[in-house]
Amino acid sequence: KDPNQHPEVRRRSLEAVAARAWLIAYSRKITNDERDDAVAFLREREKAAKVEDPRKAAVTDLCVALFNTNEFIYLRENY
């Protein structure tokens, strides 16, 4: 395990990681459908990762994906 990885990421369930990512990226709670999709994404990316810490790689991929969404990029007009 990477000693520099945040310990909460190693301990948390994939559901908790996804929920925290949504809260940080979008300042809102994750919906049930989004959580299901995010967990499936994280599981797939963990299995596909050919690195020492597949959880860290999967979470990184999720964050990159979130940062590239319209919801993250564009400001709402009623801010």
Side-chain angles (χ1 to χ4, degrees):
K1 299 286 182 193
D2 181 356
N4 297 319
Q5 182 182 1
H6 198 285
E8 285 187 33
V9 172
R10 286 194 302 270
R11 280 196 310 265
R12 289 180 176 208
S13 68
L14 294 178
E15 291 83 0
V17 169
R20 182 80 174 139
W22 249 255
L23 194 58
I24 291 169
Y26 301 139
S27 298
R28 67 172 177 81
K29 291 183 178 182
I30 193 170
T31 67
N32 290 338
D33 287 342
E34 289 168 335
R35 185 195 61 237
D36 293 345
D37 289 344
V39 168
F41 177 87
L42 288 166
R43 284 189 180 127
E44 179 182 310
R45 298 306 301 159
E46 273 188 330
K47 288 179 185 175
K50 306 287 189 230
V51 295
E52 186 177 322
D53 191 344
R55 166 70 62 100
K56 182 177 179 180
V59 172
T60 299
D61 289 348
L62 177 65
C63 291
V64 170
L66 294 178
F67 295 153
N68 281 290
T69 63
N70 286 342
E71 185 171 350
F72 182 80
I73 295 171
Y74 297 106
L75 292 174
R76 293 185 193 122
E77 292 195 29
N78 298 332
Y79 54 90

